[in-house]
């Protein structure tokens, strides 16, 4: 059976590459710390030695629109083109061509149907920054095949937080049953509190620091009960108009089976709080040692982070 060697969940900030490769006098003050944290986080994936990446993201109205926006979709291609022109222009993102794993995509698609998830699929999917950003941060060579899964976090009506949790649990079940000796890493990105185009977009920190602190605790402790009791579409909207991306992080926690995280890092970055989290389902000595080195470099936690300890305000 396949070996799920790591689950990674993080926020995705499209300006990371532009900010950290700018060596002009106007370089972002937080760029050095941001780069150090990302490069440390990258080591938690490297230690997992994956053969294939299952990637979870959400299309930002690049190819799906209000005329036809799928709730859940899986890519089933030999190659995936990235990125979109506006992402190259505004964020400085490079073009990529990523290999696919059609056999794994087909197995995953059938398994999801069997688990009660009626997925759309595409043989012509183009990848956007929700997947390219984590490629840049944790696998910049883009040298591993990917199986991309897209979710609807933008176009109401949206699935419930529980539906994202259940999808994560189903994906884990299918990975564990996949008749292959491949090592699989699941990587997904989303949002903590986030405002796009609204009045809180350019504040000194994320629009709702209390939500951010609680969210990191819930995810890192595997507290799905607190999430399902507390997090609703209305509460996410109140935390910031794009906070619904948190549901993709719930999905990743589901793939990790609600276990405690093995690595948790964060950075208060102007108008957002960035978060980097890794679970090792079958943690090896090599993985534990890599996480410890990364944590020593970045100031990350080797285990859950509690809101009461971190504080609710930036």
């Amino acid at each position: 059976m396949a070996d799920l060697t790591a689950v990674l969940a993080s926020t995705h900030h499209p300006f990371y590459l532009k900010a950290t490769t700018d060596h002009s006098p106007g370089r972002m003050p937080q760029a050095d710390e941001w780069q150090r944290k990302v490069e440390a986080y990258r080591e938690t994936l490297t230690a997992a030695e994956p053969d294939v990446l299952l990637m979870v993201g959400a299309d930002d109205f690049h190819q799906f629109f209000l005329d036809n926006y799928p709730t859940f979709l899986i890519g089933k291609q030999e190659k995936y083109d990235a990125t979109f022109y506006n992402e190259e222009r505004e964020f400085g993102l490079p073009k990529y061509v990523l290999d696919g794993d059609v056999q794994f995509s087909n197995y995953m698609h059938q398994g999801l149907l069997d688990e009660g998830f009626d997925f759309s699929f595409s043989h012509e999917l183009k990848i956007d920054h929700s997947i390219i950003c984590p490629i840049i941060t944790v696998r910049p060579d883009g040298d591993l095949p990917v199986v991309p899964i897209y979710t609807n976090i933008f176009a109401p009506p949206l699935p419930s937080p529980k539906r994202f949790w259940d999808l994560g649990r189903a994906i884990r079940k299918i990975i564990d049953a996949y008749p292959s000796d491949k090592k699989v890493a699941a990587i997904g990105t989303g949002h903590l509190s986030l405002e796009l185009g609204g009045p809180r977009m350019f504040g000194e920190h994320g629009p709702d620091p209390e939500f951010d602190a609680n969210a990191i605790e819930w995810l890192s402790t595997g507290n799905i009960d607190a999430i399902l009791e507390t997090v609703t579409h209305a509460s996410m909207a109140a935390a910031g108009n794009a906070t619904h991306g948190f549901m993709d992080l719930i999905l990743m926690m589901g793939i990790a089976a609600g276990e405690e995280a093995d690595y948790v890092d964060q950075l208060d970055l102007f108008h957002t709080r960035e978060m980097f989290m890794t679970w090792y389902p079958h943690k090896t000595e090599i993985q534990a040692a890599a996480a410890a080195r990364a944590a020593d470099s970045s100031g990350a936690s080797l285990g859950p982070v509690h809101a009461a300890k971190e504080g609710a305000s930036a």
Side-chain angles (χ1 to χ4, degrees), residues 6-141:
V7 180
L8 277 68
S10 73
T11 48
H12 63 257
H13 198 306
F15 282 109
Y16 168 76
L17 185 64
K18 196 170 187 177
T20 55
T21 55
D22 175 13
H23 299 290
S24 74
R27 181 177 170 86
M28 185 180 185
Q30 301 100 324
D32 290 347
E33 182 182 11
W34 194 5
Q35 184 171 356
R36 184 176 69 253
K37 285 180 175 291
V38 163
E39 290 179 352
Y41 181 54
R42 184 181 304 160
E43 293 306 308
T44 70
L45 176 66
T46 301
E49 300 182 324
D51 299 311
V52 59
L53 306 178
L54 182 132
M55 308 287 297
V56 175
D59 180 80
D60 290 50
F61 294 106
H62 282 115
Q63 59 201 309
F64 305 128
F65 304 96
L66 298 182
D67 61 336
N68 186 11
Y69 201 113
T71 299
F72 300 118
L73 177 142
I74 187 167
K76 302 173 70 172
Q77 296 159 225
E78 293 184 358
K79 300 282 184 180
Y80 296 93
D81 181 37
T83 57
F84 289 85
Y85 171 70
N86 72 305
E87 298 173 313
E88 298 170 35
R89 180 193 65 215
E90 298 298 325
F91 308 142
L93 298 186
K95 291 181 179 294
Y96 274 93
V97 176
L98 302 176
D99 289 333
D101 186 329
V102 175
Q103 183 178 12
F104 188 23
S105 285
N106 286 335
Y107 186 88
M108 178 62 63
H109 188 199
Q110 184 61 58
L112 290 165
L113 292 171
D114 294 342
E115 291 295 318
F117 289 88
D118 297 329
F119 260 58
S120 301
F121 65 90
S122 176
H123 294 279
E124 298 181 356
L125 183 67
K126 185 169 181 177
I127 301 299
D128 79 345
H129 75 271
S130 66
I131 286 178
I132 289 304
C133 284
I135 289 292
I136 289 170
T137 54
V138 299
R139 199 72 182 195
D141 289 342

Side-chain angles (χ1 to χ4, degrees), residues 255-272:
I255 298 177
E259 298 293 330
E260 292 187 347
D262 294 290
Y263 183 92
V264 184
D265 203 2
Q266 55 188 301
L267 174 65
D268 191 1
L269 190 68
F270 187 37
H271 59 286
T272 71

Side-chain angles (χ1 to χ4, degrees), residues 148-273:
I149 287 177
Y150 272 78
T151 68
N152 178 15
I153 59 170
F154 291 117
L158 304 177
S160 68
K162 185 177 187 303
R163 189 63 170 165
F164 278 77
W165 164 259
D166 290 342
L167 176 55
R169 299 301 299 121
I171 290 171
R172 173 63 179 273
K173 180 178 179 180
I174 296 162
I175 292 172
D176 287 346
Y178 184 40
S180 168
D181 59 0
K182 289 182 178 179
K183 296 180 179 180
V184 179
I187 302 173
T189 64
H191 310 133
L192 299 176
S193 69
L194 184 65
E195 186 95 349
L196 295 178
R200 295 179 288 178
M201 182 171 178
F202 293 110
E204 295 182 356
H205 48 66
D208 193 333
E210 183 175 359
F211 178 90
D212 294 345
N214 287 331
I216 291 171
E217 175 177 324
W218 296 329
L219 293 169
S220 66
T221 60
N223 194 346
I224 186 58
D225 291 337
I227 289 175
L228 297 183
E229 290 171 5
T230 308
V231 178
T232 64
H233 291 153
S235 71
M236 286 185 285
N241 63 17
T243 306
H244 290 83
F246 178 62
M247 293 191 292
D248 275 341
L249 304 181
I250 298 172
L251 189 162
M252 302 312 297
M253 187 177 80
I255 298 177
E259 298 293 330
E260 292 187 347
D262 294 290
Y263 183 92
V264 184
D265 203 2
Q266 55 188 301
L267 174 65
D268 191 1
L269 190 68
F270 187 37
H271 59 286
T272 71
R273 180 166 290 274

